[in-house]
Amino acid sequence: MPINVRNSGEKINLEELLVPNLSLSQFSTIHTGGKADLAAYPTDFEELRALLLHAQTNGLDVTILGGFSNSLISDEGIAGLTIITAHLTRKHIQGEMFCVRSGLSLDRAIDFALEAGLSGLEMLGGIPGSVGGAIYGNAGANGVQIGDLLYYVDYMTLDGKMHRMQIHSDDFSYRHSPFSETHDKIIYEAGFRLDPTVHTSEARKNKDDVKQKRKDKGHYENPSLGSIFANPPGTHAGQLIEECNLAGINVGGAMLSNRHCNFIINSNGKASSSDVHSLLKQIQAEVVQQKGILLRPEIQFIGRW
Ligand SMILES: Cc1cc2nc3c(=O)[nH]c(=O)nc-3n(C[C@H](O)[C@H](O)[C@H](O)COP(=O)(O)OP(=O)(O)OC[C@H]3O[C@@H](n4cnc5c(N)ncnc54)[C@H](O)[C@@H]3O)c2cc1C
């Protein structure tokens, strides 16, 4: 029997939306992890709400994922309902405001803003993942953090209600947003206040340059989650790890990159998330022993850990 939920006069067939036992390693940028017991890709507000109400009615935990580029998914998978935002991609411009749904890739969002003559986001070029994931963790690079440019965030709570948060830049700090560590708010849309640029070609060049620098540093050469640890105040996690002579150590297929000491890579394509987790713990312990500093993981641990 199809499960029908009536929303704004529309019938949504949840059975068509729900995908059981979806393998997630195919989406993960480090290519590890198990299956989602149940997954769905909502395309709009009504579908998202219907899914959340279904989860609430059936006592299912809800996990939200965008580009999977900052999340280590347990090999044992994810219980409950996993909502993947990849189909929430609409965007529009209102004057100097760029409004974008959370599932659009950040890199594409930057391109779209530039095409519309709006600059500000380009120094974030080449960061993998979605707009929603970037807001959750206040992604940043080259002296710019996404929270600096936000005007509002629309999010849905687990009861299906939509809310608007007006953003003040001091709500965000290094790799931290008002959404970090909360699991009951699904970022739906964000509004960025950008600059109408008279030098679009210069802004475009800046974006291309920062992306090229990432390529030159080998960021995309191997499957990874980017930086594993946040930088402690006043120093760089990668430098501390390098000084501990840990480059190249491995657990199974998970290896600490020789090129970027804060990246764990899936060196042979056969690493498990448990390998990555064990290696992360090993690095943490070594740095505590040699430097007396406990590095804080920047990545999220998702699922049955
Ligand atoms: C090669 C490489 C380079 C990187 N370089 C950088 C860098 O320079 N700077 C930087 O900051 N990061 C960097 N990262 C890390 C990562 O790309 C960013 O953190 C990115 O913003 C994560 O977005 P995502 O959509 O992949 O998030 P996911 O991994 O899908 O999710 C991350 C967290 O956000 C939550 N989340 C995702 N979408 C939503 C939503 N719509 N609503 C609520 N919660 C949500 C998830 O539940 C999870 O807790 C890099 C990663 C890689 C692989």
Side-chain angles (χ1 to χ4, degrees):
M1 271 280 282
I3 311 157
N4 288 321
V5 177
R6 190 180 286 275
N7 273 298
S8 318
E10 260 184 63
K11 276 186 181 167
I12 293 171
N13 186 337
L14 276 180
E15 262 187 14
E16 277 177 9
L17 289 182
L18 294 170
V19 186
N21 293 318
L22 182 68
S23 177
L24 299 176
S25 57
Q26 59 181 319
F27 306 116
S28 156
T29 56
I30 195 164
H31 301 171
T32 66
K35 294 180 176 175
D37 288 2
L38 206 55
Y41 303 84
T43 57
D44 60 20
F45 169 88
E46 278 87 9
E47 286 186 0
L48 178 59
R49 189 167 61 180
L51 286 162
L52 292 176
L53 295 180
H54 175 70
Q56 198 174 52
T57 309
N58 292 280
L60 301 173
D61 287 339
V62 173
T63 299
I64 182 102
L65 282 161
F68 292 72
S69 66
N70 203 34
S71 297
L72 189 64
I73 311 291
S74 161
D75 296 323
E76 308 306 318
I78 307 178
L81 174 63
T82 300
I83 293 179
I84 302 172
T85 60
H87 293 175
L88 294 171
T89 56
R90 291 183 70 171
K91 56 213 176 299
H92 65 277
I93 307 278
Q94 271 179 353
E96 292 165 20
M97 181 104 77
F98 174 42
C99 308
V100 56
R101 300 236 170 118
S102 62
L104 189 67
S105 105
L106 177 63
D107 200 61
R108 277 205 221 152
I110 298 169
D111 284 341
F112 184 80
L114 288 173
E115 279 159 28
L118 294 175
S119 73
L121 287 165
E122 53 278 4
M123 300 313 273
L124 304 178
I127 298 182
S130 66
V131 169
I135 294 170
Y136 180 93
N138 193 18
N142 307 301
V144 177
Q145 305 186 99
I146 198 162
D148 300 338
L149 300 155
L150 276 172
Y151 180 61
Y152 71 84
V153 176
D154 288 341
Y155 63 93
M156 198 179 274
T157 38
L158 298 178
D159 55 7
K161 292 194 177 130
M162 193 67 102
H163 309 262
R164 172 158 292 191
M165 189 187 287
Q166 299 291 342
I167 302 297
H168 309 281
S169 58
D170 52 7
D171 297 339
F172 284 71
S173 55
Y174 173 64
R175 300 296 178 271
H176 194 273
S177 78
F179 301 94
S180 304
E181 289 125 34
T182 69
H183 301 286
D184 57 353
K185 297 181 187 73
I186 290 101
I187 299 164
Y188 182 73
E189 183 180 294
F192 294 94
R193 207 200 294 264
L194 300 179
D195 290 331
T197 175
V198 278
H199 300 296
T200 316
S201 57
E202 200 179 301
R204 152 71 44 203
K205 186 177 177 311
N206 287 341
K207 191 213 162 192
D208 292 345
D209 285 352
V210 293
K211 204 167 169 182
Q212 187 58 46
K213 274 192 194 137
R214 287 177 181 273
K215 283 186 191 152
D216 296 344
K217 286 187 194 161
H219 274 204
Y220 312 123
E221 259 168 31
N222 296 100
S224 81
L225 295 172
S227 293
I228 290 289
F229 297 105
N231 290 326
T235 181
H236 286 96
Q239 191 187 330
L240 290 173
I241 297 167
E242 196 175 352
E243 287 168 9
C244 293
N245 289 319
L246 299 176
I249 61 165
N250 76 296
V251 173
M255 187 179 114
L256 184 58
S257 165
N258 284 305
R259 289 195 70 184
H260 192 310
C261 259
N262 201 7
F263 277 30
I264 291 178
I265 60 173
N266 185 348
S267 60
N268 60 5
K270 291 183 183 157
S272 64
S273 287
S274 303
D275 292 341
V276 177
H277 187 249
S278 303
L279 182 56
L280 180 150
K281 290 280 171 202
Q282 197 176 318
I283 298 163
Q284 231 178 4
E286 282 286 347
V287 176
V288 166
Q289 202 185 350
Q290 295 192 39
K291 299 279 183 187
I293 295 174
L294 178 63
L295 293 176
R296 177 176 67 82
E298 187 171 310
I299 58 169
Q300 305 295 318
F301 297 92
I302 305 279
R304 298 181 174 97
W305 284 102

